[in-house]
Coordinates of all heavy atoms in Angstrom, one line a residue:
M1 N 0.8 -1.2 0.0 CA 0.0 0.0 0.0 C 0.9 1.3 0.0 O 1.8 1.4 0.8 CB -0.9 0.0 1.3 CG -2.1 0.9 1.1 SD -3.1 0.5 2.5 CE -4.2 1.9 2.4
Q2 N 0.6 2.1 -0.9 CA 1.4 3.3 -1.0 C 0.6 4.5 -0.8 O -0.3 4.8 -1.6 CB 2.1 3.4 -2.4 CG 3.3 2.4 -2.5 CD 4.0 2.6 -3.8 OE1 3.6 3.3 -4.6 NE2 5.1 1.8 -4.0
A3 N 0.8 5.2 0.2 CA 0.0 6.4 0.6 C 0.9 7.6 0.8 O 0.6 8.4 1.6 CB -0.9 6.1 1.7
S4 N 2.0 7.6 0.2 CA 3.0 8.7 0.5 C 3.1 9.5 -0.8 O 3.7 9.2 -1.7 CB 4.3 8.2 0.9 OG 4.8 7.3 -0.1
K5 N 2.4 10.6 -0.7 CA 2.4 11.5 -1.8 C 3.2 12.8 -1.4 O 2.8 13.4 -0.4 CB 1.0 11.9 -2.3 CG 0.6 11.2 -3.6 CD -0.7 11.8 -4.1 CE -1.0 11.2 -5.4 NZ -2.2 11.7 -6.0
K6 N 4.1 13.1 -2.2 CA 4.8 14.4 -1.9 C 4.1 15.5 -2.4 O 3.7 15.6 -3.6 CB 6.2 14.3 -2.6 CG 7.3 13.7 -1.7 CD 8.6 13.9 -2.3 CE 9.7 13.3 -1.4 NZ 11.0 13.4 -2.1
S7 N 3.8 16.4 -1.5 CA 3.1 17.6 -1.9 C 4.1 18.7 -2.2 O 4.9 19.1 -1.4 CB 2.1 18.1 -0.9 OG 2.8 18.3 0.3
K8 N 4.1 19.1 -3.5 CA 5.1 20.1 -3.8 C 4.6 21.5 -3.5 O 3.5 21.9 -3.9 CB 5.4 20.1 -5.3 CG 6.4 19.0 -5.7 CD 6.8 19.1 -7.1 CE 7.7 18.0 -7.5 NZ 7.9 17.9 -8.9
K9 N 5.4 22.2 -2.8 CA 5.0 23.5 -2.4 C 5.8 24.5 -3.3 O 7.0 24.6 -3.1 CB 5.2 23.8 -0.9 CG 3.9 23.5 -0.1 CD 4.1 24.0 1.3 CE 2.9 23.6 2.1 NZ 3.1 23.9 3.5
K10 N 5.2 25.2 -4.1 CA 5.9 26.2 -4.9 C 5.6 27.6 -4.5 O 4.5 28.0 -4.5 CB 5.6 26.0 -6.4 CG 6.6 25.1 -7.1 CD 6.4 25.2 -8.6 CE 7.5 24.3 -9.3 NZ 7.3 24.3 -10.7
K11 N 6.6 28.2 -4.0 CA 6.4 29.6 -3.6 C 7.2 30.5 -4.6 O 8.4 30.4 -4.7 CB 7.0 29.8 -2.2 CG 5.8 30.0 -1.2 CD 6.4 30.5 0.1 CE 5.3 30.8 1.1 NZ 5.8 31.2 2.4
K12 N 6.4 31.3 -5.3 CA 7.1 32.2 -6.2 C 7.0 33.6 -5.6 O 6.0 34.1 -5.3 CB 6.3 32.1 -7.5 CG 7.0 31.2 -8.5 CD 6.5 31.4 -9.9 CE 7.2 30.5 -10.9 NZ 6.7 30.7 -12.2
A13 N 8.2 34.1 -5.6 CA 8.2 35.5 -5.1 C 8.0 36.5 -6.2 O 8.9 36.8 -6.9 CB 9.6 35.7 -4.4
T14 N 6.8 36.9 -6.3 CA 6.5 37.8 -7.4 C 6.3 39.2 -6.8 O 5.2 39.7 -6.8 CB 5.2 37.4 -8.1 OG1 4.3 36.9 -7.2 CG2 5.6 36.3 -9.2
S15 N 7.4 39.7 -6.3 CA 7.3 41.0 -5.8 C 8.0 42.1 -6.7 O 8.8 42.8 -6.3 CB 8.0 41.1 -4.4 OG 9.2 40.5 -4.5
L16 N 7.6 42.0 -7.9 CA 8.1 42.9 -8.9 C 7.3 44.2 -9.0 O 6.4 44.3 -9.8 CB 8.2 42.3 -10.3 CG 9.3 41.2 -10.4 CD1 9.0 40.3 -11.6 CD2 10.7 41.7 -10.5
K17 N 7.6 45.0 -8.0 CA 6.8 46.2 -8.0 C 7.4 47.4 -8.6 O 7.2 48.6 -8.3 CB 6.4 46.5 -6.5 CG 5.2 45.7 -6.1 CD 4.9 46.0 -4.6 CE 3.8 45.1 -4.1 NZ 3.5 45.3 -2.7
Q18 N 8.4 47.1 -9.5 CA 9.1 48.2 -10.2 C 8.2 48.8 -11.3 O 7.6 48.0 -12.1 CB 10.4 47.7 -10.8 CG 11.4 47.5 -9.7 CD 12.7 46.8 -10.3 OE1 12.5 45.9 -11.1 NE2 13.8 47.2 -9.8
S19 N 8.1 50.1 -11.2 CA 7.2 50.7 -12.2 C 7.7 50.6 -13.6 O 7.0 50.4 -14.6 CB 7.0 52.2 -11.9 OG 8.2 52.8 -11.7
K20 N 9.0 50.7 -13.7 CA 9.6 50.5 -15.1 C 10.6 49.4 -15.1 O 11.5 49.3 -14.2 CB 10.2 51.8 -15.6 CG 11.4 52.3 -14.9 CD 12.0 53.5 -15.6 CE 13.3 54.0 -14.9 NZ 13.9 55.2 -15.6
K21 N 10.5 48.6 -16.1 CA 11.4 47.4 -16.2 C 12.7 47.9 -16.9 O 12.6 48.4 -18.0 CB 10.7 46.4 -17.0 CG 11.4 45.0 -17.0 CD 10.7 44.1 -17.9 CE 11.6 43.0 -18.4 NZ 11.1 42.4 -19.6
Q22 N 13.7 47.7 -16.2 CA 15.0 48.2 -16.7 C 15.7 47.1 -17.5 O 15.8 46.0 -17.1 CB 15.9 48.6 -15.6 CG 15.4 49.9 -15.0 CD 16.5 50.5 -14.1 OE1 17.1 49.9 -13.3 NE2 16.8 51.8 -14.4
S23 N 16.1 47.5 -18.7 CA 16.8 46.6 -19.6 C 17.8 47.3 -20.5 O 17.6 48.6 -20.6 CB 15.8 45.7 -20.4 OG 15.1 46.6 -21.2
V24 N 18.7 46.6 -21.0 CA 19.7 47.2 -21.9 C 19.4 46.7 -23.3 O 19.3 45.5 -23.6 CB 21.1 46.9 -21.5 CG1 22.1 47.6 -22.3 CG2 21.3 47.3 -20.0
S25 N 19.4 47.6 -24.3 CA 19.3 47.2 -25.7 C 20.6 46.8 -26.2 O 21.6 47.6 -26.3 CB 18.7 48.3 -26.5 OG 17.4 48.7 -26.0
Y26 N 20.7 45.6 -26.7 CA 21.9 45.1 -27.4 C 21.7 45.0 -28.9 O 20.6 44.5 -29.3 CB 22.3 43.7 -26.8 CG 23.3 43.9 -25.6 CD1 22.8 44.3 -24.3 CD2 24.6 43.6 -25.8 CE1 23.7 44.4 -23.3 CE2 25.5 43.7 -24.7 CZ 25.0 44.1 -23.5 OH 25.9 44.3 -22.4
V27 N 22.7 45.3 -29.6 CA 22.5 45.3 -31.0 C 23.7 44.4 -31.6 O 24.8 44.5 -31.2 CB 22.6 46.7 -31.7 CG1 22.4 46.6 -33.2 CG2 21.5 47.6 -31.1
C28 N 23.3 43.5 -32.5 CA 24.3 42.6 -33.1 C 25.1 43.4 -34.1 O 24.5 44.1 -35.0 CB 23.5 41.4 -33.8 SG 24.7 40.3 -34.7
F29 N 26.4 43.2 -34.1 CA 27.3 43.8 -35.0 C 27.1 43.3 -36.5 O 27.3 44.0 -37.4 CB 28.8 43.6 -34.7 CG 29.3 44.6 -33.7 CD1 30.2 44.2 -32.7 CD2 29.0 45.9 -33.9 CE1 30.7 45.1 -31.8 CE2 29.6 46.9 -33.0 CZ 30.4 46.5 -32.0
V30 N 26.7 42.0 -36.6 CA 26.7 41.4 -37.8 C 25.3 41.5 -38.5 O 25.2 42.0 -39.7 CB 27.0 39.9 -37.7 CG1 27.0 39.2 -39.0 CG2 28.3 39.7 -36.9
C31 N 24.2 41.2 -37.9 CA 22.9 41.2 -38.6 C 22.0 42.3 -38.0 O 20.9 42.5 -38.4 CB 22.3 39.9 -38.5 SG 21.7 39.4 -36.8
H32 N 22.5 43.1 -37.0 CA 21.8 44.2 -36.4 C 20.5 43.8 -35.7 O 19.6 44.6 -35.6 CB 21.6 45.3 -37.5 CG 22.8 45.8 -38.1 ND1 23.1 45.5 -39.5 CD2 23.9 46.4 -37.6 CE1 24.3 46.0 -39.8 NE2 24.8 46.6 -38.7
E33 N 20.5 42.6 -35.3 CA 19.4 42.1 -34.5 C 19.4 42.8 -33.2 O 20.5 43.0 -32.6 CB 19.4 40.6 -34.3 CG 18.4 40.0 -33.5 CD 17.1 39.8 -34.1 OE1 17.0 40.0 -35.4 OE2 16.1 39.5 -33.5
K34 N 18.2 43.2 -32.7 CA 18.2 43.9 -31.4 C 17.6 43.0 -30.4 O 16.6 42.3 -30.6 CB 17.3 45.2 -31.6 CG 17.8 46.3 -30.8 CD 17.0 47.6 -31.2 CE 17.4 48.7 -30.3 NZ 16.6 50.0 -30.7
E35 N 18.2 43.1 -29.2 CA 17.6 42.3 -28.1 C 17.7 43.1 -26.8 O 18.6 43.8 -26.5 CB 18.5 41.0 -28.0 CG 17.7 39.9 -27.3 CD 18.6 38.6 -27.2 OE1 19.3 38.3 -28.2 OE2 18.6 38.0 -26.2
E36 N 16.6 42.9 -26.1 CA 16.5 43.6 -24.8 C 17.0 42.6 -23.7 O 16.4 41.6 -23.5 CB 15.1 44.0 -24.5 CG 14.5 45.0 -25.4 CD 15.0 46.4 -25.1 OE1 15.2 46.7 -23.9 OE2 15.2 47.1 -26.1
I37 N 18.0 43.0 -23.0 CA 18.6 42.1 -22.0 C 18.3 42.8 -20.6 O 18.7 44.0 -20.5 CB 20.1 41.9 -22.2 CG1 20.2 41.4 -23.6 CG2 20.6 40.9 -21.2 CD1 21.4 40.5 -23.9
P38 N 17.7 42.1 -19.7 CA 17.5 42.7 -18.4 C 18.7 43.3 -17.8 O 19.8 42.7 -17.8 CB 16.9 41.5 -17.6 CG 16.4 40.6 -18.6 CD 17.3 40.7 -19.8
L39 N 18.6 44.4 -17.2 CA 19.7 45.1 -16.6 C 20.4 44.3 -15.5 O 21.6 44.2 -15.4 CB 19.3 46.5 -15.9 CG 20.4 47.4 -15.4 CD1 21.3 47.8 -16.5 CD2 19.8 48.5 -14.7
S40 N 19.6 43.5 -14.8 CA 20.2 42.6 -13.7 C 21.1 41.6 -14.3 O 22.2 41.3 -13.7 CB 19.1 42.0 -13.0 OG 18.2 41.2 -13.8
V41 N 20.8 41.1 -15.5 CA 21.6 40.1 -16.2 C 22.9 40.7 -16.6 O 24.0 40.2 -16.4 CB 20.9 39.5 -17.4 CG1 21.8 38.5 -18.1 CG2 19.6 38.7 -16.9
V42 N 22.8 41.9 -17.3 CA 24.0 42.6 -17.7 C 24.9 42.9 -16.6 O 26.1 42.8 -16.7 CB 23.6 43.9 -18.5 CG1 24.8 44.6 -19.1 CG2 22.6 43.5 -19.6
R43 N 24.3 43.4 -15.5 CA 25.1 43.7 -14.3 C 25.9 42.5 -13.8 O 27.0 42.6 -13.4 CB 24.2 44.2 -13.2 CG 23.7 45.7 -13.4 CD 24.6 46.6 -12.5 NE 24.6 48.0 -13.0 CZ 23.7 48.8 -12.5 NH1 22.8 48.5 -11.7 NH2 23.7 50.1 -13.0
D44 N 25.2 41.4 -13.8 CA 25.8 40.1 -13.3 C 27.0 39.8 -14.2 O 28.1 39.5 -13.6 CB 24.8 39.0 -13.4 CG 24.0 38.9 -12.1 OD1 24.2 39.7 -11.2 OD2 23.1 38.1 -12.1
F45 N 26.9 39.9 -15.5 CA 28.0 39.7 -16.4 C 29.1 40.7 -16.1 O 30.3 40.3 -16.1 CB 27.5 39.8 -17.8 CG 27.1 38.5 -18.5 CD1 25.9 37.9 -18.1 CD2 27.9 37.9 -19.4 CE1 25.6 36.7 -18.6 CE2 27.6 36.7 -20.0 CZ 26.4 36.1 -19.6
D46 N 28.7 41.9 -15.9 CA 29.7 42.9 -15.7 C 30.5 42.7 -14.4 O 31.7 42.8 -14.4 CB 29.0 44.3 -15.6 CG 29.9 45.5 -15.9 OD1 31.0 45.2 -16.2 OD2 29.3 46.6 -15.8
L47 N 29.9 42.2 -13.4 CA 30.5 41.9 -12.1 C 31.5 40.7 -12.3 O 32.5 40.7 -11.7 CB 29.5 41.7 -11.1 CG 28.8 43.0 -10.6 CD1 27.6 42.6 -9.7 CD2 29.8 43.9 -9.8
M48 N 31.0 39.7 -13.0 CA 31.8 38.5 -13.2 C 33.0 38.8 -14.0 O 34.1 38.3 -13.7 CB 31.0 37.4 -13.8 CG 30.0 36.7 -12.9 SD 29.4 35.2 -13.6 CE 28.4 35.8 -15.0
D49 N 32.8 39.5 -15.0 CA 33.9 39.9 -16.0 C 34.7 41.0 -15.4 O 34.4 42.2 -15.7 CB 33.3 40.2 -17.3 CG 34.4 40.6 -18.3 OD1 35.5 40.0 -18.3 OD2 34.2 41.5 -19.1
D50 N 35.7 40.7 -14.7 CA 36.5 41.8 -14.0 C 37.8 42.1 -14.8 O 38.7 42.6 -14.2 CB 36.8 41.4 -12.6 CG 36.8 42.5 -11.7 OD1 36.0 43.4 -11.8 OD2 37.7 42.5 -10.8
G51 N 37.8 41.8 -16.0 CA 39.0 42.0 -16.8 C 39.1 43.4 -17.3 O 39.7 44.3 -16.7
D52 N 38.7 43.6 -18.5 CA 38.9 44.9 -19.2 C 37.7 45.8 -19.0 O 36.6 45.6 -19.5 CB 39.1 44.6 -20.7 CG 39.6 45.8 -21.5 OD1 39.7 46.9 -20.8 OD2 39.8 45.6 -22.6
P53 N 37.9 46.9 -18.3 CA 36.8 47.8 -18.1 C 36.4 48.6 -19.3 O 35.3 49.3 -19.3 CB 37.4 48.8 -17.0 CG 38.8 48.7 -17.1 CD 39.2 47.4 -17.7
T54 N 37.2 48.6 -20.3 CA 36.8 49.3 -21.5 C 35.9 48.5 -22.4 O 35.3 49.0 -23.4 CB 38.1 49.7 -22.4 OG1 38.8 48.5 -22.7 CG2 39.0 50.6 -21.6
T55 N 35.7 47.2 -22.1 CA 34.8 46.4 -22.8 C 33.5 46.1 -22.0 O 33.7 45.6 -20.9 CB 35.5 45.1 -23.2 OG1 36.8 45.4 -23.7 CG2 34.7 44.4 -24.3
P56 N 32.4 46.4 -22.6 CA 31.2 46.1 -21.8 C 30.9 44.6 -21.9 O 31.5 43.8 -22.7 CB 30.1 46.8 -22.7 CG 30.6 46.9 -24.0 CD 32.1 47.0 -23.9
P57 N 30.0 44.1 -21.0 CA 29.6 42.7 -21.1 C 29.0 42.4 -22.4 O 28.1 43.2 -22.9 CB 28.6 42.5 -19.9 CG 28.3 43.9 -19.4 CD 29.3 44.8 -19.9
M58 N 29.5 41.4 -23.1 CA 29.1 41.1 -24.5 C 28.2 39.8 -24.5 O 28.5 38.9 -23.7 CB 30.3 40.9 -25.4 CG 31.2 42.1 -25.4 SD 30.6 43.4 -26.6 CE 31.6 43.1 -27.9
F59 N 27.3 39.9 -25.4 CA 26.4 38.7 -25.6 C 26.5 38.2 -27.0 O 26.9 39.0 -27.9 CB 25.0 39.0 -25.2 CG 24.8 39.3 -23.8 CD1 24.9 40.6 -23.3 CD2 24.5 38.3 -22.9 CE1 24.7 40.9 -22.0 CE2 24.4 38.6 -21.5 CZ 24.5 39.9 -21.1
S60 N 26.2 37.0 -27.2 CA 26.2 36.4 -28.6 C 24.8 36.5 -29.2 O 23.8 36.2 -28.5 CB 26.6 35.0 -28.6 OG 28.0 34.9 -28.1
C61 N 24.7 36.9 -30.4 CA 23.5 37.0 -31.1 C 22.8 35.6 -31.3 O 23.5 34.6 -31.7 CB 23.7 37.6 -32.5 SG 22.2 37.6 -33.5
E62 N 21.5 35.5 -31.0 CA 20.9 34.2 -31.1 C 20.7 33.8 -32.6 O 20.6 32.6 -32.9 CB 19.5 34.3 -30.5 CG 19.6 34.0 -29.0 CD 18.3 34.0 -28.3 OE1 17.3 33.8 -29.1 OE2 18.2 34.1 -27.1
K63 N 20.7 34.8 -33.5 CA 20.4 34.5 -34.9 C 21.7 34.1 -35.6 O 21.7 33.1 -36.4 CB 19.8 35.7 -35.5 CG 18.3 35.8 -35.2 CD 17.6 36.6 -36.3 CE 16.1 36.6 -36.0 NZ 15.4 37.6 -36.8
C64 N 22.8 34.8 -35.5 CA 23.9 34.5 -36.3 C 25.2 34.2 -35.4 O 26.2 33.9 -35.9 CB 24.2 35.7 -37.2 SG 24.9 37.2 -36.3
G65 N 25.1 34.4 -34.1 CA 26.2 34.1 -33.2 C 27.2 35.2 -33.2 O 28.3 35.1 -32.6
G66 N 26.9 36.3 -33.8 CA 27.8 37.5 -33.8 C 27.8 38.2 -32.4 O 27.0 37.8 -31.5
K67 N 28.7 39.1 -32.3 CA 28.8 39.8 -31.0 C 27.8 40.9 -30.9 O 27.5 41.6 -31.9 CB 30.2 40.4 -30.9 CG 31.2 39.4 -30.4 CD 32.5 40.1 -30.1 CE 33.5 39.1 -29.5 NZ 34.8 39.7 -29.3
M68 N 27.2 41.0 -29.8 CA 26.2 42.1 -29.5 C 26.8 43.1 -28.6 O 27.4 42.8 -27.6 CB 24.9 41.5 -29.0 CG 24.3 40.5 -29.9 SD 22.7 40.0 -29.3 CE 21.6 41.2 -30.1
Y69 N 26.5 44.4 -29.0 CA 27.0 45.5 -28.2 C 25.9 46.3 -27.7 O 24.8 46.5 -28.3 CB 27.9 46.4 -29.1 CG 28.9 47.3 -28.4 CD1 30.2 46.8 -28.1 CD2 28.5 48.5 -28.0 CE1 31.1 47.6 -27.4 CE2 29.5 49.3 -27.3 CZ 30.7 48.9 -27.0 OH 31.6 49.6 -26.4
P70 N 26.0 46.8 -26.4 CA 24.9 47.6 -25.8 C 24.7 48.9 -26.6 O 25.7 49.6 -26.9 CB 25.3 47.8 -24.4 CG 26.8 47.7 -24.4 CD 27.1 46.7 -25.5
E71 N 23.5 49.3 -26.8 CA 23.2 50.6 -27.4 C 23.7 51.7 -26.5 O 24.2 52.7 -26.8 CB 21.7 50.7 -27.7 CG 21.4 51.6 -28.8 CD 20.0 51.4 -29.3 OE1 19.0 51.3 -28.5 OE2 19.8 51.2 -30.5
Y72 N 23.3 51.5 -25.2 CA 23.8 52.4 -24.2 C 23.8 51.6 -22.9 O 22.8 51.0 -22.5 CB 23.0 53.6 -24.0 CG 23.4 54.4 -22.8 CD1 24.6 55.2 -22.9 CD2 22.8 54.4 -21.6 CE1 25.0 56.0 -21.8 CE2 23.2 55.0 -20.5 CZ 24.4 55.9 -20.6 OH 24.8 56.5 -19.5
Y73 N 24.9 51.6 -22.2 CA 24.9 51.0 -20.9 C 26.0 51.6 -20.0 O 27.1 51.9 -20.5 CB 25.3 49.5 -21.1 CG 25.6 48.7 -19.8 CD1 24.7 48.6 -18.8 CD2 26.9 48.2 -19.6 CE1 25.0 48.0 -17.6 CE2 27.2 47.5 -18.4 CZ 26.3 47.4 -17.4 OH 26.6 46.8 -16.3
K74 N 25.6 51.9 -18.8 CA 26.6 52.4 -17.8 C 27.0 51.3 -16.9 O 26.1 50.7 -16.2 CB 26.0 53.6 -17.1 CG 27.0 54.3 -16.3 CD 26.5 55.6 -15.6 CE 27.6 56.3 -14.8 NZ 27.1 57.5 -14.2
G75 N 28.3 50.9 -16.9 CA 28.7 49.8 -16.2 C 28.8 50.0 -14.7 O 28.6 51.1 -14.2
V76 N 29.1 49.0 -14.0 CA 29.1 49.0 -12.5 C 30.3 49.8 -12.0 O 30.3 50.3 -10.9 CB 29.1 47.6 -11.9 CG1 27.8 46.9 -12.0 CG2 30.2 46.8 -12.5
H77 N 31.3 50.0 -12.9 CA 32.4 50.8 -12.5 C 32.3 52.3 -13.0 O 33.3 53.0 -12.9 CB 33.7 50.2 -13.0 CG 33.8 48.7 -12.7 ND1 34.1 48.3 -11.4 CD2 33.8 47.6 -13.4 CE1 34.1 47.0 -11.4 NE2 33.9 46.5 -12.6
G78 N 31.1 52.6 -13.5 CA 30.9 54.0 -13.8 C 31.3 54.2 -15.3 O 31.3 55.4 -15.7
V79 N 31.7 53.2 -16.0 CA 32.1 53.4 -17.4 C 30.9 53.4 -18.3 O 30.0 52.5 -18.2 CB 33.1 52.4 -17.9 CG1 33.6 52.7 -19.3 CG2 34.3 52.3 -16.9
E80 N 30.8 54.3 -19.2 CA 29.6 54.3 -20.1 C 30.0 53.7 -21.5 O 31.1 54.0 -22.0 CB 29.2 55.8 -20.3 CG 28.5 56.3 -19.2 CD 27.9 57.7 -19.4 OE1 28.4 58.4 -20.3 OE2 26.9 58.0 -18.7
Y81 N 29.2 52.9 -22.0 CA 29.4 52.2 -23.2 C 28.3 52.7 -24.2 O 27.1 52.5 -23.9 CB 29.4 50.7 -23.1 CG 30.3 50.2 -22.0 CD1 29.8 49.8 -20.8 CD2 31.7 50.2 -22.2 CE1 30.6 49.4 -19.8 CE2 32.6 49.7 -21.2 CZ 32.0 49.3 -20.0 OH 32.8 48.9 -19.0
K82 N 28.7 53.1 -25.3 CA 27.7 53.5 -26.4 C 28.0 52.8 -27.7 O 29.2 52.8 -28.1 CB 27.7 55.0 -26.5 CG 26.8 55.7 -25.5 CD 26.9 57.2 -25.7 CE 27.7 57.8 -24.6 NZ 28.0 59.3 -24.8
L83 N 27.0 52.4 -28.3 CA 27.2 51.7 -29.6 C 27.7 52.7 -30.6 O 28.6 52.4 -31.4 CB 25.8 51.2 -30.1 CG 25.8 50.4 -31.4 CD1 26.6 49.1 -31.3 CD2 24.4 50.1 -31.9
S84 N 27.3 54.0 -30.5 CA 27.8 55.0 -31.5 C 29.2 55.2 -31.3 O 29.9 55.7 -32.2 CB 27.0 56.3 -31.2 OG 27.1 56.7 -29.9
D85 N 29.8 54.9 -30.2 CA 31.3 55.1 -30.0 C 32.1 54.1 -30.8 O 33.3 54.3 -31.1 CB 31.6 54.9 -28.5 CG 31.2 56.2 -27.7 OD1 30.9 57.2 -28.3 OD2 31.3 56.1 -26.5
V86 N 31.5 52.9 -31.0 CA 32.3 51.9 -31.7 C 32.0 51.7 -33.2 O 32.6 50.9 -33.9 CB 32.2 50.5 -31.0 CG1 32.9 50.6 -29.6 CG2 30.8 50.1 -30.8
L87 N 31.0 52.4 -33.6 CA 30.6 52.2 -35.0 C 31.3 53.3 -35.9 O 31.6 54.4 -35.5 CB 29.0 52.4 -35.2 CG 28.2 51.2 -34.7 CD1 26.7 51.5 -34.8 CD2 28.5 50.0 -35.4
Ligands
ZN101 ZN1 23.3 38.6 -35.4

């Protein structure tokens, strides 16, 4: 006789009370695909990547695998990155 059922308790913390969702627009160098990346994700990358402060956290394009550059992003070290600066 089996009467042991595991009851899964899922608690989701949905306390997103931010009025505006912050994200960074990334543009692919190759195919110019645009992608919105949540600021928290970009920040995480920025913090992990402690190498070159002149290079922003980069992502790969989902379509072509090319490098994506932020349209505008101010890094955790106060460095500003602009797509217009590298084009
Ligand atoms: Zn691309």
Side-chain angles (χ1 to χ4, degrees):
M1 203 171 165
Q2 284 183 356
S4 56
K5 255 193 179 177
K6 269 189 183 175
S7 59
K8 276 186 187 174
K9 267 188 186 174
K10 265 193 179 176
K11 248 190 178 179
K12 265 194 176 177
T14 40
S15 53
L16 291 163
K17 279 179 182 173
Q18 287 173 319
S19 52
K20 67 173 182 180
K21 193 182 153 200
Q22 289 196 308
S23 61
V24 183
S25 297
Y26 269 74
V27 183
C28 175
F29 271 140
V30 185
C31 70
H32 304 112
E33 176 79 7
K34 215 171 175 183
E35 204 178 318
E36 295 284 321
I37 308 208
L39 186 63
S40 55
V41 176
V42 182
R43 281 263 162 89
D44 275 356
F45 264 73
D46 203 359
L47 287 167
M48 280 194 297
D49 176 40
D50 213 36
D52 192 354
T54 58
T55 314
M58 301 279 258
F59 294 91
S60 297
C61 175
E62 276 185 16
K63 284 200 172 172
C64 72
K67 277 188 178 177
M68 299 189 90
Y69 202 90
E71 207 162 49
Y72 174 79
Y73 169 62
K74 190 172 180 180
V76 289
H77 307 292
V79 185
E80 288 185 334
Y81 309 102
K82 275 179 254 174
L83 183 67
S84 52
D85 285 350
V86 290
L87 286 178

